[in-house]
Amino acid sequence: MPEPSQDVERGRAAVPFGLAEVTGPSMVPTLHHGDQLVVRYGARVRPGDVIVLRHPFQQDLLVVKRAVGRREGGWWVLGDNAYAGGDSTDYGTVPDELILGTVRFRYRPRKRDQRSPLAALRWALSAARPVLADRSASRRLRAR
């Protein structure tokens, strides 16, 4: 993921939107490895939003997770893939100052094996999508 400027970290981005790339499986099925994201820096976070944040223990590492809800000390964040880990179940709540922005849009690049006309059509219809807040994200917490 690209490094945000210091203005973004203070919550007043010089350019309110930026690009990021997903690496890893923690947000499958919503986001896949290689997806390109449009991030709105400094946006207000609501439960269910997909957000970009600094990892609480490795602050040079940016991660993408879903904000589930407010807790004492910050936001509880989870990946959509319950088996991937690397979320608040590992490191607890994330302080507000580590949250950089919300994901608004995703673009899924075309795979090399999508050569048939039908595969190309399916890709064209699903390649670019808005990333919407999933208000049911807290189901995972209740199920544990």
Side-chain angles (χ1 to χ4, degrees), residues 23-98:
T23 57
S26 71
M27 288 300 292
V28 171
T30 306
L31 303 173
H32 294 269
H33 181 81
D35 283 357
Q36 304 293 315
L37 306 177
V38 174
V39 180
R40 179 157 185 226
Y41 293 114
R44 191 177 117 217
V45 178
R46 293 177 300 226
D49 284 347
V50 176
I51 61 174
V52 175
L53 58 118
R54 289 199 175 282
H55 192 283
F57 301 141
Q58 292 177 273
Q59 294 188 9
D60 59 332
L61 176 65
L62 301 181
V63 294
V64 177
K65 299 293 177 197
R66 189 172 301 277
V68 176
R70 297 285 305 176
R71 300 262 176 106
E72 185 177 329
W75 282 93
W76 189 263
V77 297
L78 295 174
D80 286 356
N81 182 352
Y83 302 106
D87 53 25
S88 286
T89 57
D90 295 329
Y91 46 74
T93 58
V94 177
D96 289 328
E97 59 268 13
L98 296 182

Side-chain angles (χ1 to χ4, degrees), residues 104-124:
R104 298 298 188 190
F105 198 76
R106 75 111 171 113
Y107 169 75
R108 186 161 293 151
R110 189 171 168 183
K111 295 177 184 170
R112 294 179 193 260
D113 63 345
Q114 293 176 317
R115 295 184 185 164
S116 73
L118 181 58
L121 177 63
R122 279 197 310 234
W123 169 81

